[in-house]
Amino acid sequence: MAQAPAPTFDDTFHDAFATLLRWRRDVRRFRPDPVPEALIETLLRAAHQAPSVGNSQPWRFVRVRDAGRLDAIVADFQACNARARSQQPAERQLAYGALKVEGLRDAPVQMAVFCDDATAQGHGLGQATMPETRAYSVVLAIHTLWLVARAHGLGVGWVSILSPDTVTRALDVPEGWRFVAWLCIGWPDQALEIPELETAGWQARAPRALVLER
Ligand SMILES: Cc1cc2c(cc1C)N(C[C@H](O)[C@H](O)[C@H](O)COP(=O)(O)O)c1[nH]c(=O)[nH]c(=O)c1N2
């Protein structure tokens, strides 16, 4: 089947893409305005374009609307977050407690993302010595969704301060699905160019990635 002519991307696109990357933020504070279903579908279709080991496409999304299930997730977060704070060195516990690290009650769209470790898709290619590459593939789908969301003005917040077993039980997902991420999605209450953890004095972004020469 003849393919369409390959696209090229000019400097205008390069500049716009660099701006998108610079303004993508982890969002914890959202406006209550609903997100159009068509836009959620756009995000999920974009995520499905992500690369995956052996083209296994192991990402599985669970849209959580049930109040009882959400209550269970919030309760789990509160327990996990309290434990995480107590495990911080004494001198950082106050700063930790001042951080907002979730949008579980703020974002109109709550999405859990799993890795289907039981999928036969990809026939195991590329996974034999590194089975974790399936989860890596799911993370790439999440990041793709994150960028496309930001391009549409939407915010995404990743919450990992949860116990995977509790989330998995609460959502009653198929056997073999492994919890990877909880995403809070909605319209951010403000657009930030600097990561919140940096402005809060928790951790700045290093000037550039560390590269070794070998
Ligand atoms: C795997 C993983 C897990 C988490 C995160 C990210 C990733 C990649 N981040 C978001 C993280 O704090 C954020 O990406 C950095 O602070 C950088 O800020 P920006 O994303 O550039 O705004 C995150 N943020 C948060 O408030 N609660 C959380 O539990 C997590 N967990």
Side-chain angles (χ1 to χ4, degrees):
M1 180 176 77
Q3 71 162 21
T8 55
F9 301 99
D10 62 14
D11 287 347
T12 306
F13 176 87
H14 298 156
D15 293 346
F17 193 63
T19 302
L20 173 63
L21 293 175
R22 200 170 64 249
W23 281 86
R24 179 218 48 75
R25 285 285 71 80
D26 184 73
V27 177
R28 293 103 174 163
R29 296 168 180 78
F30 297 87
R31 302 198 315 266
D33 313 80
V35 178
E37 287 304 315
L39 185 46
I40 298 290
E41 182 61 22
T42 298
L43 301 189
L44 292 171
R45 286 181 183 280
H48 196 60
Q49 298 296 315
S52 59
V53 62
N55 206 20
S56 53
Q57 307 148 68
W59 38 79
R60 302 292 181 264
F61 295 88
V62 181
R63 180 88 177 267
V64 185
R65 301 173 198 263
D66 177 81
R69 293 182 196 271
L70 279 172
D71 288 347
I73 299 303
V74 170
D76 181 53
F77 166 79
Q78 287 165 344
C80 292
N81 202 38
R83 207 165 32 249
R85 177 178 178 178
S86 70
Q87 290 162 354
Q88 284 288 324
E91 65 276 11
R92 290 192 77 96
Q93 289 189 11
L94 201 61
Y96 184 103
L99 297 172
K100 183 167 177 26
V101 285
E102 50 72 35
L104 294 169
R105 290 291 194 208
D106 314 60
V109 179
Q110 300 288 334
M111 191 92 75
V113 192
F114 288 80
C115 174
D116 182 354
D117 279 326
T119 183
Q121 291 185 158
H123 312 289
L125 179 63
Q127 305 161 36
T129 52
M130 292 185 69
E132 63 274 22
T133 48
R134 286 190 294 269
Y136 294 168
S137 306
V138 175
V139 172
L140 289 171
I142 291 168
H143 189 234
T144 303
L145 181 150
W146 212 334
L147 290 177
V148 174
R150 184 61 188 89
H152 286 270
L154 270 179
V156 174
W158 182 325
V159 183
S160 57
I161 309 171
L162 293 164
S163 43
D165 292 348
T166 305
V167 175
T168 304
R169 273 196 309 277
L171 300 186
D172 191 22
V173 295
E175 193 62 36
W177 286 23
R178 179 164 41 117
F179 177 62
V180 173
W182 187 281
L183 303 181
C184 308
I185 302 173
W187 304 104
D189 74 350
Q190 56 178 354
L192 299 171
E193 187 174 9
I194 309 293
E196 273 198 53
L197 292 193
E198 184 162 339
T199 49
W202 185 264
Q203 177 60 56
R205 186 180 290 279
R208 62 163 294 191
L210 188 148
V211 178
L212 290 183
E213 299 289 339
R214 286 288 180 270

